[in-house]
Each structure stands twice: as C-alpha cells, then as structure tokens.
Coordinates of all heavy atoms in Angstrom, one line a residue:
M10 N -7.6 11.0 -1.0 CA -6.5 10.1 -0.8 C -6.6 8.7 -1.5 O -5.7 7.9 -1.4 CB -6.3 9.9 0.7 CG -5.9 11.1 1.5 SD -5.5 10.7 3.2 CE -4.9 12.3 3.7
A11 N -7.8 8.5 -2.1 CA -8.0 7.3 -2.8 C -7.8 7.4 -4.3 O -8.5 6.9 -5.1 CB -9.3 6.7 -2.5
Q12 N -6.8 8.3 -4.6 CA -6.4 8.5 -6.0 C -5.6 7.3 -6.5 O -4.9 6.6 -5.7 CB -5.7 9.8 -6.2 CG -6.6 11.0 -5.8 CD -7.9 11.0 -6.5 OE1 -7.9 11.0 -7.7 NE2 -9.0 11.0 -5.7
P13 N -5.5 7.1 -7.8 CA -4.8 5.9 -8.3 C -3.3 5.8 -7.9 O -2.9 4.8 -7.5 CB -4.9 6.1 -9.9 CG -6.2 6.8 -10.1 CD -6.3 7.7 -8.9
W14 N -2.6 6.9 -8.0 CA -1.2 6.9 -7.6 C -1.1 6.6 -6.1 O -0.2 5.8 -5.7 CB -0.5 8.3 -7.8 CG 0.8 8.4 -7.2 CD1 1.1 9.3 -6.2 CD2 2.0 7.7 -7.5 NE1 2.4 9.1 -5.8 CE2 3.0 8.2 -6.6 CE3 2.4 6.8 -8.4 CZ2 4.3 7.7 -6.6 CZ3 3.7 6.3 -8.4 CH2 4.6 6.8 -7.6
A15 N -1.9 7.1 -5.3 CA -1.8 6.9 -3.8 C -2.2 5.4 -3.5 O -1.5 4.8 -2.7 CB -2.8 7.8 -3.1
V16 N -3.2 4.9 -4.1 CA -3.6 3.5 -3.8 C -2.5 2.5 -4.3 O -2.1 1.7 -3.5 CB -4.9 3.2 -4.5 CG1 -5.3 1.7 -4.4 CG2 -6.1 4.0 -3.9
I17 N -2.1 2.6 -5.5 CA -1.2 1.6 -6.1 C 0.2 1.8 -5.4 O 0.8 0.8 -4.9 CB -1.1 1.7 -7.6 CG1 -2.5 1.4 -8.2 CG2 0.0 0.8 -8.2 CD1 -2.6 1.7 -9.7
A18 N 0.8 3.0 -5.5 CA 2.1 3.2 -4.9 C 2.2 3.0 -3.4 O 3.1 2.4 -2.9 CB 2.6 4.6 -5.3
G19 N 1.1 3.5 -2.7 CA 1.1 3.3 -1.3 C 1.1 1.9 -0.8 O 1.8 1.5 0.1
N20 N 0.3 1.1 -1.5 CA 0.2 -0.3 -1.1 C 1.5 -1.1 -1.4 O 1.9 -1.9 -0.6 CB -1.0 -1.0 -1.8 CG -2.3 -0.6 -1.1 OD1 -2.4 -0.3 0.1 ND2 -3.4 -0.7 -1.9
I21 N 2.0 -0.8 -2.6 CA 3.3 -1.5 -3.0 C 4.4 -1.1 -2.0 O 5.2 -1.9 -1.5 CB 3.7 -1.2 -4.4 CG1 2.6 -1.8 -5.4 CG2 5.1 -1.7 -4.8 CD1 2.8 -1.4 -6.8
L22 N 4.5 0.2 -1.8 CA 5.6 0.7 -0.9 C 5.4 0.1 0.5 O 6.4 -0.3 1.1 CB 5.6 2.2 -0.9 CG 6.6 2.9 0.1 CD1 8.0 2.7 -0.5 CD2 6.3 4.4 0.2
S23 N 4.2 0.1 1.0 CA 4.0 -0.4 2.4 C 4.3 -1.9 2.4 O 4.9 -2.4 3.4 CB 2.6 -0.2 2.8 OG 2.3 1.2 2.9
A24 N 4.0 -2.6 1.4 CA 4.3 -4.1 1.4 C 5.9 -4.3 1.4 O 6.4 -5.1 2.1 CB 3.7 -4.8 0.2
L25 N 6.6 -3.5 0.5 CA 8.0 -3.6 0.5 C 8.7 -3.2 1.8 O 9.6 -3.9 2.3 CB 8.6 -2.7 -0.6 CG 8.3 -3.2 -2.1 CD1 8.7 -2.1 -3.0 CD2 9.0 -4.5 -2.4
I26 N 8.2 -2.2 2.4 CA 8.7 -1.8 3.7 C 8.4 -2.8 4.8 O 9.3 -3.1 5.6 CB 8.2 -0.4 4.1 CG1 8.8 0.7 3.2 CG2 8.5 -0.1 5.6 CD1 8.3 2.1 3.4
G27 N 7.2 -3.4 4.8 CA 6.9 -4.4 5.8 C 7.7 -5.6 5.6 O 8.2 -6.2 6.6
I28 N 8.0 -6.0 4.4 CA 8.9 -7.2 4.1 C 10.3 -6.9 4.6 O 10.9 -7.8 5.2 CB 8.8 -7.6 2.7 CG1 7.4 -8.1 2.3 CG2 9.8 -8.7 2.4 CD1 7.1 -8.2 0.8
A29 N 10.8 -5.7 4.2 CA 12.2 -5.4 4.7 C 12.3 -5.3 6.2 O 13.3 -5.8 6.8 CB 12.6 -4.0 4.1
T30 N 11.2 -4.8 6.8 CA 11.2 -4.7 8.3 C 11.3 -6.1 8.9 O 12.0 -6.3 9.9 CB 10.0 -3.9 8.8 OG1 10.1 -2.6 8.1 CG2 10.1 -3.7 10.3
I31 N 10.5 -7.0 8.4 CA 10.4 -8.3 9.0 C 11.7 -9.1 8.8 O 12.1 -9.9 9.6 CB 9.2 -9.2 8.6 CG1 8.9 -10.3 9.5 CG2 9.4 -9.7 7.2 CD1 8.4 -9.9 10.9
H32 N 12.5 -8.7 7.8 CA 13.8 -9.3 7.5 C 14.8 -8.8 8.6 O 15.7 -9.5 9.0 CB 14.3 -9.1 6.1 CG 13.8 -10.0 5.1 ND1 14.2 -11.3 5.0 CD2 12.8 -9.8 4.1 CE1 13.5 -11.9 4.0 NE2 12.7 -11.0 3.5
L33 N 14.7 -7.5 8.9 CA 15.6 -6.9 9.8 C 15.3 -7.0 11.3 O 16.2 -7.0 12.1 CB 15.8 -5.4 9.4 CG 16.3 -5.1 8.0 CD1 16.2 -3.6 7.7 CD2 17.7 -5.6 7.9
V34 N 14.0 -7.0 11.6 CA 13.6 -7.1 13.0 C 12.7 -8.3 13.2 O 11.6 -8.4 12.6 CB 12.7 -5.8 13.4 CG1 12.3 -5.9 14.8 CG2 13.5 -4.6 13.1
S35 N 13.2 -9.3 13.9 CA 12.5 -10.6 14.0 C 11.4 -10.5 15.1 O 10.5 -11.4 15.1 CB 13.5 -11.7 14.4 OG 14.2 -11.4 15.6
E36 N 11.4 -9.6 16.0 CA 10.4 -9.5 17.0 C 9.2 -8.7 16.5 O 9.3 -7.5 16.2 CB 11.0 -8.7 18.2 CG 10.0 -8.5 19.3 CD 9.4 -9.8 19.9 OE1 10.2 -10.8 20.0 OE2 8.2 -9.8 20.2
P37 N 8.0 -9.4 16.3 CA 6.8 -8.7 15.7 C 6.4 -7.5 16.5 O 5.9 -6.6 15.9 CB 5.8 -9.8 15.7 CG 6.5 -11.1 15.9 CD 7.8 -10.8 16.6
L38 N 6.5 -7.5 17.8 CA 6.0 -6.3 18.6 C 6.8 -5.1 18.3 O 6.4 -4.0 18.5 CB 6.0 -6.6 20.1 CG 4.9 -7.6 20.5 CD1 5.0 -7.9 22.0 CD2 3.5 -7.1 20.1
L39 N 8.0 -5.2 17.9 CA 8.9 -4.1 17.5 C 8.7 -3.8 16.0 O 8.8 -2.7 15.5 CB 10.3 -4.4 17.8 CG 10.7 -4.5 19.3 CD1 12.2 -4.9 19.4 CD2 10.4 -3.2 19.9
A40 N 8.6 -4.9 15.2 CA 8.5 -4.7 13.7 C 7.2 -4.1 13.3 O 7.2 -3.3 12.3 CB 8.6 -6.1 13.1
M41 N 6.1 -4.3 14.0 CA 4.8 -3.8 13.5 C 4.8 -2.2 13.6 O 4.5 -1.6 12.5 CB 3.6 -4.3 14.4 CG 3.3 -5.8 14.0 SD 1.8 -6.4 14.7 CE 2.1 -6.1 16.5
P42 N 5.1 -1.6 14.7 CA 5.0 -0.1 14.7 C 6.1 0.5 13.8 O 5.9 1.5 13.2 CB 5.2 0.3 16.1 CG 5.8 -0.9 16.8 CD 5.3 -2.1 16.0
L43 N 7.3 -0.2 13.7 CA 8.3 0.3 12.9 C 7.9 0.2 11.4 O 8.1 1.2 10.6 CB 9.6 -0.5 13.1 CG 10.8 -0.1 12.3 CD1 11.2 1.3 12.8 CD2 12.0 -1.0 12.6
A44 N 7.3 -0.9 11.0 CA 6.9 -1.0 9.6 C 5.8 0.0 9.2 O 5.8 0.6 8.2 CB 6.4 -2.4 9.3
A45 N 4.8 0.2 10.1 CA 3.7 1.1 9.9 C 4.2 2.5 9.8 O 3.9 3.3 8.9 CB 2.7 1.0 11.0
S46 N 5.1 2.9 10.7 CA 5.6 4.3 10.7 C 6.5 4.6 9.6 O 6.4 5.7 8.9 CB 6.3 4.6 12.1 OG 7.4 3.8 12.3
L47 N 7.3 3.6 9.2 CA 8.2 3.8 8.0 C 7.4 3.9 6.7 O 7.7 4.6 5.8 CB 9.3 2.7 8.0 CG 10.4 2.8 9.0 CD1 11.3 1.6 8.9 CD2 11.2 4.1 8.8
S48 N 6.3 3.1 6.7 CA 5.5 3.1 5.4 C 4.8 4.4 5.3 O 4.7 5.0 4.2 CB 4.5 1.9 5.4 OG 3.6 2.1 6.4
I49 N 4.3 5.0 6.4 CA 3.7 6.3 6.4 C 4.7 7.4 6.0 O 4.4 8.2 5.2 CB 3.0 6.6 7.7 CG1 1.8 5.7 8.0 CG2 2.6 8.1 7.8 CD1 1.3 5.8 9.4
L50 N 5.9 7.3 6.5 CA 6.9 8.2 6.2 C 7.3 8.1 4.7 O 7.4 9.1 4.0 CB 8.2 8.0 7.0 CG 9.4 8.9 6.7 CD1 9.1 10.3 7.0 CD2 10.6 8.4 7.5
G51 N 7.4 6.9 4.2 CA 7.7 6.7 2.8 C 6.6 7.2 1.9 O 6.8 7.8 0.8
M52 N 5.3 6.9 2.2 CA 4.2 7.4 1.4 C 4.2 9.0 1.4 O 3.9 9.6 0.4 CB 2.9 6.9 1.9 CG 2.7 5.4 1.6 SD 1.1 4.8 2.1 CE 1.2 4.8 3.9
F53 N 4.4 9.6 2.6 CA 4.4 11.0 2.7 C 5.5 11.6 1.8 O 5.3 12.6 1.1 CB 4.6 11.4 4.1 CG 4.5 12.9 4.4 CD1 3.3 13.5 4.3 CD2 5.7 13.6 4.6 CE1 3.2 14.9 4.5 CE2 5.6 15.0 4.8 CZ 4.4 15.6 4.8
T54 N 6.7 10.9 1.8 CA 7.8 11.4 1.0 C 7.6 11.3 -0.5 O 7.9 12.2 -1.3 CB 9.1 10.6 1.4 OG1 9.4 10.7 2.8 CG2 10.3 11.1 0.6
L55 N 6.9 10.2 -0.9 CA 6.6 10.0 -2.3 C 5.3 10.6 -2.8 O 4.9 10.4 -3.9 CB 6.6 8.5 -2.6 CG 8.0 7.8 -2.5 CD1 7.8 6.3 -2.8 CD2 9.0 8.4 -3.5
R56 N 4.6 11.3 -1.8 CA 3.3 12.0 -2.1 C 2.3 11.0 -2.6 O 1.5 11.2 -3.5 CB 3.5 13.1 -3.1 CG 4.4 14.2 -2.6 CD 4.6 15.3 -3.6 NE 3.3 15.9 -4.0 CZ 2.7 17.0 -3.4 NH1 3.3 17.6 -2.4 NH2 1.6 17.4 -3.9
C57 N 2.3 9.8 -1.9 CA 1.3 8.8 -2.3 C 0.6 8.3 -1.0 O 0.4 7.1 -0.8 CB 1.9 7.6 -3.0 SG 3.2 6.7 -2.2
L58 N 0.3 9.3 -0.1 CA -0.3 9.0 1.2 C -1.7 8.3 1.0 O -2.6 8.9 0.5 CB -0.4 10.2 2.0 CG -0.7 10.0 3.5 CD1 0.3 9.2 4.2 CD2 -0.8 11.4 4.2
H59 N -1.8 7.1 1.5 CA -3.0 6.3 1.5 C -3.1 5.6 2.8 O -2.5 4.6 3.0 CB -3.0 5.4 0.3 CG -4.3 4.6 0.1 ND1 -5.5 5.2 -0.1 CD2 -4.5 3.3 0.2 CE1 -6.4 4.3 -0.2 NE2 -5.9 3.1 -0.1
P60 N -3.8 6.2 3.8 CA -3.8 5.6 5.1 C -4.1 4.1 5.2 O -3.4 3.5 6.0 CB -4.9 6.5 5.8 CG -4.9 7.8 5.1 CD -4.6 7.4 3.7
P61 N -5.0 3.5 4.5 CA -5.2 2.1 4.6 C -4.0 1.3 4.2 O -3.8 0.1 4.6 CB -6.4 1.8 3.7 CG -7.1 3.1 3.6 CD -6.1 4.1 3.6
A62 N -3.1 1.9 3.4 CA -1.9 1.2 3.0 C -1.0 0.9 4.2 O -0.2 -0.1 4.1 CB -1.1 1.9 1.9
A63 N -1.0 1.6 5.2 CA -0.2 1.3 6.4 C -0.6 0.0 7.0 O 0.3 -0.7 7.6 CB -0.3 2.4 7.4
A64 N -1.8 -0.4 6.8 CA -2.3 -1.7 7.3 C -1.6 -2.9 6.5 O -1.4 -4.0 7.0 CB -3.8 -1.8 7.2
V65 N -1.2 -2.6 5.2 CA -0.5 -3.6 4.4 C 0.8 -4.0 5.1 O 1.1 -5.1 5.2 CB -0.3 -3.1 3.0 CG1 0.5 -4.1 2.2 CG2 -1.7 -2.9 2.3
A66 N 1.5 -3.0 5.6 CA 2.8 -3.2 6.3 C 2.5 -4.1 7.6 O 3.3 -5.0 7.9 CB 3.4 -1.9 6.7
L67 N 1.4 -3.8 8.3 CA 1.1 -4.6 9.4 C 0.7 -6.0 9.1 O 1.1 -7.0 9.8 CB -0.1 -4.0 10.2 CG 0.2 -2.6 10.8 CD1 -1.0 -2.0 11.5 CD2 1.3 -2.7 11.8
I68 N 0.0 -6.2 8.0 CA -0.4 -7.5 7.5 C 0.8 -8.4 7.2 O 0.9 -9.5 7.5 CB -1.4 -7.4 6.3 CG1 -2.7 -6.9 6.8 CG2 -1.6 -8.8 5.6 CD1 -3.7 -6.5 5.7
V69 N 1.7 -7.7 6.5 CA 3.0 -8.4 6.1 C 3.7 -8.9 7.4 O 4.2 -10.0 7.4 CB 3.9 -7.5 5.3 CG1 5.3 -8.0 5.2 CG2 3.3 -7.3 3.9
V70 N 3.8 -8.0 8.4 CA 4.5 -8.4 9.6 C 3.8 -9.5 10.3 O 4.4 -10.5 10.8 CB 4.8 -7.2 10.5 CG1 5.4 -7.6 11.8 CG2 5.7 -6.2 9.8
L71 N 2.5 -9.3 10.5 CA 1.7 -10.3 11.2 C 1.6 -11.7 10.5 O 1.6 -12.7 11.2 CB 0.3 -9.8 11.5 CG 0.1 -8.7 12.5 CD1 -1.3 -8.2 12.6 CD2 0.5 -9.3 13.9
G72 N 1.6 -11.6 9.2 CA 1.6 -12.8 8.4 C 3.0 -13.4 8.2 O 3.1 -14.5 7.6
H73 N 4.0 -12.7 8.6 CA 5.4 -13.1 8.5 C 5.7 -13.4 7.0 O 6.3 -14.5 6.7 CB 5.7 -14.3 9.4 CG 7.1 -14.4 9.7 ND1 7.8 -13.5 10.5 CD2 8.1 -15.3 9.3 CE1 9.0 -13.9 10.6 NE2 9.3 -14.9 9.9
V74 N 5.3 -12.5 6.1 CA 5.6 -12.6 4.7 C 7.0 -12.3 4.5 O 7.5 -11.2 4.7 CB 4.6 -11.7 3.9 CG1 5.0 -11.8 2.4 CG2 3.2 -12.0 4.2
M75 N 7.8 -13.2 3.9 CA 9.2 -13.0 3.7 C 9.6 -12.8 2.3 O 10.8 -12.5 2.0 CB 10.0 -14.2 4.3 CG 9.8 -14.5 5.8 SD 10.4 -13.2 6.8 CE 12.2 -13.5 6.7
H76 N 8.7 -13.0 1.3 CA 9.1 -12.9 -0.1 C 8.6 -11.5 -0.7 O 7.5 -11.1 -0.5 CB 8.4 -14.0 -0.9 CG 8.8 -15.4 -0.4 ND1 10.0 -15.9 -0.7 CD2 8.1 -16.3 0.3 CE1 10.1 -17.1 -0.2 NE2 9.0 -17.4 0.4
Y77 N 9.6 -10.9 -1.4 CA 9.3 -9.6 -1.9 C 8.3 -9.6 -3.1 O 7.7 -8.6 -3.4 CB 10.6 -8.9 -2.4 CG 11.4 -8.4 -1.3 CD1 12.5 -9.2 -0.8 CD2 11.2 -7.2 -0.7 CE1 13.2 -8.7 0.3 CE2 11.9 -6.7 0.3 CZ 12.9 -7.5 0.8 OH 13.7 -7.0 1.9
R78 N 8.0 -10.8 -3.6 CA 7.0 -10.9 -4.7 C 5.6 -10.6 -4.2 O 4.7 -10.3 -5.0 CB 7.1 -12.3 -5.3 CG 6.7 -13.4 -4.5 CD 6.7 -14.7 -5.3 NE 6.5 -15.8 -4.4 CZ 7.4 -16.7 -3.9 NH1 8.6 -16.5 -4.4 NH2 7.1 -17.6 -3.1
Y79 N 5.4 -10.6 -2.9 CA 4.1 -10.3 -2.3 C 3.7 -8.8 -2.6 O 2.6 -8.5 -2.8 CB 4.1 -10.5 -0.8 CG 2.9 -10.1 -0.1 CD1 1.8 -11.0 0.1 CD2 2.7 -8.8 0.4 CE1 0.6 -10.6 0.7 CE2 1.5 -8.4 1.1 CZ 0.5 -9.3 1.2 OH -0.7 -9.0 1.8
A80 N 4.7 -8.0 -2.8 CA 4.5 -6.6 -3.1 C 3.9 -6.4 -4.5 O 3.2 -5.5 -4.8 CB 5.7 -5.8 -3.0
F81 N 4.1 -7.4 -5.4 CA 3.6 -7.3 -6.7 C 2.4 -8.2 -6.9 O 1.5 -7.8 -7.7 CB 4.7 -7.7 -7.7 CG 5.9 -6.8 -7.6 CD1 7.1 -7.3 -6.9 CD2 5.9 -5.5 -8.0 CE1 8.1 -6.4 -6.7 CE2 7.0 -4.7 -7.8 CZ 8.1 -5.1 -7.1
F82 N 2.4 -9.3 -6.3 CA 1.2 -10.1 -6.3 C 1.0 -10.7 -4.9 O 1.9 -11.5 -4.5 CB 1.2 -11.3 -7.4 CG -0.1 -12.1 -7.4 CD1 -1.2 -11.6 -8.0 CD2 -0.2 -13.3 -6.7 CE1 -2.3 -12.3 -8.0 CE2 -1.3 -14.0 -6.7 CZ -2.4 -13.5 -7.3
P83 N 0.0 -10.3 -4.2 CA -1.2 -9.7 -4.6 C -1.3 -8.2 -4.4 O -2.3 -7.6 -4.8 CB -2.2 -10.4 -3.6 CG -1.4 -10.6 -2.4 CD 0.0 -10.9 -2.8
A84 N -0.4 -7.5 -3.8 CA -0.6 -6.1 -3.4 C -0.8 -5.2 -4.6 O -1.7 -4.5 -4.7 CB 0.6 -5.6 -2.6
M85 N 0.1 -5.3 -5.6 CA 0.0 -4.5 -6.8 C -1.2 -4.8 -7.6 O -2.0 -4.0 -8.1 CB 1.3 -4.5 -7.7 CG 1.2 -3.6 -8.9 SD 2.7 -3.7 -9.9 CE 2.5 -5.3 -10.6
V86 N -1.4 -6.1 -7.9 CA -2.5 -6.6 -8.7 C -3.8 -6.2 -8.1 O -4.7 -5.6 -8.8 CB -2.4 -8.1 -9.0 CG1 -3.6 -8.6 -9.7 CG2 -1.1 -8.4 -9.8
D87 N -4.0 -6.4 -6.8 CA -5.2 -6.1 -6.1 C -5.4 -4.6 -6.1 O -6.6 -4.1 -6.2 CB -5.2 -6.6 -4.7 CG -5.4 -8.1 -4.7 OD1 -5.7 -8.7 -5.8 OD2 -5.2 -8.7 -3.6
S88 N -4.4 -3.8 -6.0 CA -4.5 -2.3 -6.0 C -5.0 -1.8 -7.4 O -5.8 -0.9 -7.4 CB -3.2 -1.7 -5.6 OG -2.8 -2.0 -4.3
I89 N -4.4 -2.4 -8.4 CA -4.8 -2.0 -9.8 C -6.3 -2.4 -10.0 O -7.1 -1.6 -10.5 CB -3.9 -2.7 -10.8 CG1 -2.5 -2.0 -10.7 CG2 -4.5 -2.5 -12.2 CD1 -1.5 -2.8 -11.6
L90 N -6.7 -3.6 -9.5 CA -8.1 -4.0 -9.7 C -9.0 -3.1 -8.9 O -10.1 -2.7 -9.3 CB -8.3 -5.4 -9.2 CG -7.6 -6.5 -10.1 CD1 -7.7 -7.9 -9.5 CD2 -8.3 -6.5 -11.5
L91 N -8.6 -2.6 -7.7 CA -9.4 -1.7 -6.9 C -9.5 -0.4 -7.6 O -10.6 0.2 -7.6 CB -8.7 -1.5 -5.5 CG -9.4 -0.7 -4.5 CD1 -10.7 -1.3 -4.1 CD2 -8.5 -0.5 -3.3
V92 N -8.5 0.2 -8.2 CA -8.6 1.4 -8.9 C -9.5 1.3 -10.1 O -10.3 2.1 -10.4 CB -7.2 1.9 -9.3 CG1 -7.3 3.0 -10.4 CG2 -6.4 2.4 -8.1
M93 N -9.4 0.1 -10.8 CA -10.3 -0.1 -12.0 C -11.7 -0.2 -11.5 O -12.6 0.3 -12.2 CB -9.8 -1.4 -12.7 CG -8.5 -1.2 -13.4 SD -7.9 -2.8 -14.1 CE -9.2 -3.4 -15.1
A94 N -12.0 -0.8 -10.4 CA -13.4 -0.9 -9.9 C -13.9 0.5 -9.6 O -15.1 0.8 -9.8 CB -13.4 -1.8 -8.7
G95 N -13.0 1.4 -9.0 CA -13.4 2.7 -8.7 C -13.7 3.5 -10.0 O -14.6 4.3 -10.1
A96 N -12.9 3.3 -11.1 CA -13.2 3.9 -12.3 C -14.5 3.5 -13.0 O -15.2 4.3 -13.5 CB -12.0 3.7 -13.3
V97 N -14.8 2.2 -12.9 CA -16.0 1.7 -13.4 C -17.2 2.3 -12.7 O -18.2 2.7 -13.2 CB -16.1 0.1 -13.4 CG1 -17.4 -0.4 -13.6 CG2 -15.1 -0.5 -14.3
Y98 N -17.1 2.3 -11.3 CA -18.2 2.9 -10.5 C -18.4 4.3 -10.9 O -19.5 4.8 -11.0 CB -17.8 2.7 -9.0 CG -18.8 3.4 -8.1 CD1 -20.0 2.8 -7.8 CD2 -18.5 4.6 -7.6 CE1 -20.9 3.4 -7.0 CE2 -19.4 5.3 -6.7 CZ -20.6 4.6 -6.4 OH -21.5 5.3 -5.6
S99 N -17.3 5.1 -11.0 CA -17.4 6.5 -11.4 C -18.1 6.7 -12.7 O -18.9 7.6 -12.9 CB -16.1 7.2 -11.3 OG -15.3 6.8 -12.4
N100 N -17.8 5.8 -13.7 CA -18.4 5.9 -15.0 C -19.9 5.6 -14.9 O -20.7 6.2 -15.6 CB -17.7 5.0 -16.0 CG -16.4 5.6 -16.5 OD1 -16.2 6.8 -16.4 ND2 -15.5 4.7 -16.9
L101 N -20.3 4.6 -14.1 CA -21.7 4.3 -14.0 C -22.5 5.3 -13.2 O -23.7 5.5 -13.5 CB -21.8 2.9 -13.2 CG -21.3 1.7 -14.0 CD1 -21.3 0.5 -13.1 CD2 -22.0 1.5 -15.3
T102 N -21.9 6.0 -12.3 CA -22.6 7.0 -11.5 C -22.4 8.4 -11.9 O -23.1 9.3 -11.5 CB -22.2 6.9 -10.0 OG1 -20.8 7.2 -9.9 CG2 -22.5 5.6 -9.4
G103 N -21.5 8.7 -12.8 CA -21.3 10.0 -13.3 C -20.4 10.9 -12.4 O -20.3 12.1 -12.6
K104 N -19.8 10.3 -11.4 CA -18.9 11.0 -10.5 C -17.5 11.0 -11.1 O -17.1 10.0 -11.6 CB -18.9 10.4 -9.1 CG -20.3 10.4 -8.5 CD -20.3 9.8 -7.1 CE -21.6 9.9 -6.5 NZ -21.7 9.4 -5.1
P105 N -16.8 12.2 -10.9 CA -15.5 12.2 -11.5 C -14.5 11.4 -10.7 O -14.4 11.5 -9.5 CB -15.1 13.7 -11.4 CG -16.0 14.3 -10.4 CD -17.2 13.4 -10.4
Y106 N -13.7 10.6 -11.4 CA -12.6 9.9 -10.8 C -11.5 9.6 -11.8 O -11.9 9.2 -12.9 CB -13.1 8.5 -10.2 CG -12.0 7.7 -9.5 CD1 -11.6 8.0 -8.3 CD2 -11.4 6.7 -10.2 CE1 -10.6 7.3 -7.6 CE2 -10.4 5.9 -9.6 CZ -10.0 6.2 -8.3 OH -9.0 5.5 -7.7
P107 N -10.3 9.8 -11.5 CA -9.8 10.4 -10.3 C -10.1 11.9 -10.3 O -10.2 12.6 -11.4 CB -8.3 10.2 -10.4 CG -8.0 10.0 -11.9 CD -9.3 9.5 -12.5
T108 N -10.0 12.5 -9.1 CA -10.3 13.9 -9.0 C -9.0 14.7 -9.4 O -7.9 14.3 -9.1 CB -10.8 14.3 -7.6 OG1 -9.8 13.9 -6.7 CG2 -12.1 13.6 -7.3
K109 N -9.2 15.9 -9.9 CA -8.1 16.7 -10.3 C -7.7 17.6 -9.0 O -8.6 18.1 -8.4 CB -8.5 17.7 -11.4 CG -9.0 16.9 -12.6 CD -8.0 16.8 -13.7 CE -8.6 16.3 -15.0 NZ -8.8 14.9 -15.0
P110 N -6.4 17.7 -8.7 CA -6.1 18.6 -7.6 C -6.3 20.1 -7.9 O -6.3 20.5 -9.1 CB -4.6 18.4 -7.5 CG -4.1 17.8 -8.7 CD -5.3 17.1 -9.4
N111 N -6.6 20.8 -6.9 CA -6.9 22.3 -7.1 C -5.7 23.1 -7.2 O -4.7 22.9 -6.6 CB -7.8 22.8 -6.0 CG -9.2 22.1 -6.1 OD1 -9.6 21.8 -7.2 ND2 -9.9 22.0 -5.0

C-alpha cells in the first residue's frame, strides 16, 4: 500500500477532501469522521488506497486548513519526497521498490 501512486495520490486526495469538508461542515466533530470516510472512499475508488493518508484529512480538519494550496504544498511535495526516500533506500538495500503487482 506504500506504492508511489498510493502515497502521492492518496495524500493529495485526502487533503483536498479534508479542505472541502471543512468548508462545508463547520463543526469539527462532524467534519472529522466525514472527511476521513470520504477520503477512504475516494482512495478506494481511484485505487490509491493508502491508510495513513486518511490522517491527512483529519489533520486538515483539526488544523482548520482552509486553503486548497495545502494539497500541493506541503502534501504533494512531502509525498514525492517520501517516495524518493523510499526509492533511495531500496537502491541502497537492494530491495525492489516499487513492487510489481501479481
């Protein structure tokens, strides 16, 4: 589940859904589960399921992030850096990354 598409798209999608949710639902206790569940549904639909990305939606709601640019910086940039770090680690250890689906 930590494949490049899942990490990058999952985090960006969850950030966008979290921001949209906080715009539509002002009560955080309602917005948090709604944002998390919608982000999981969106990731499942786009085949980019990355469970830690649901926490991005929660962070957005708890931090009351209102700007959509958050989805691109820091969410997208940090996700790309995370994937690059995984690629460097795999090259240093000889482990295959990303893995090929069977």
Side-chain angles (χ1 to χ4, degrees):
M10 290 188 177
Q12 299 305 304
W14 167 250
V16 173
I17 296 169
N20 285 334
I21 293 170
L22 179 67
S23 293
L25 290 171
I26 289 173
I28 294 165
T30 303
I31 199 66
H32 278 286
L33 298 173
V34 181
S35 60
E36 177 59 40
L38 291 177
L39 295 174
M41 286 190 305
L43 185 62
S46 60
L47 288 176
S48 67
I49 291 169
L50 178 65
M52 288 185 288
F53 186 74
T54 303
L55 293 178
R56 299 181 55 95
C57 60
L58 190 60
H59 184 61
V65 173
L67 295 176
I68 290 168
V69 166
V70 172
L71 285 173
H73 204 68
V74 177
M75 300 294 285
H76 300 287
Y77 285 96
R78 67 177 172 255
Y79 178 87
F81 303 103
F82 182 79
M85 181 180 73
V86 172
D87 288 352
S88 298
I89 292 170
L90 291 173
L91 185 62
V92 167
M93 289 172 54
V97 168
Y98 175 79
S99 70
N100 284 335
L101 293 175
T102 60
K104 296 180 181 182
Y106 181 79
T108 57
K109 307 255 187 288
N111 292 331

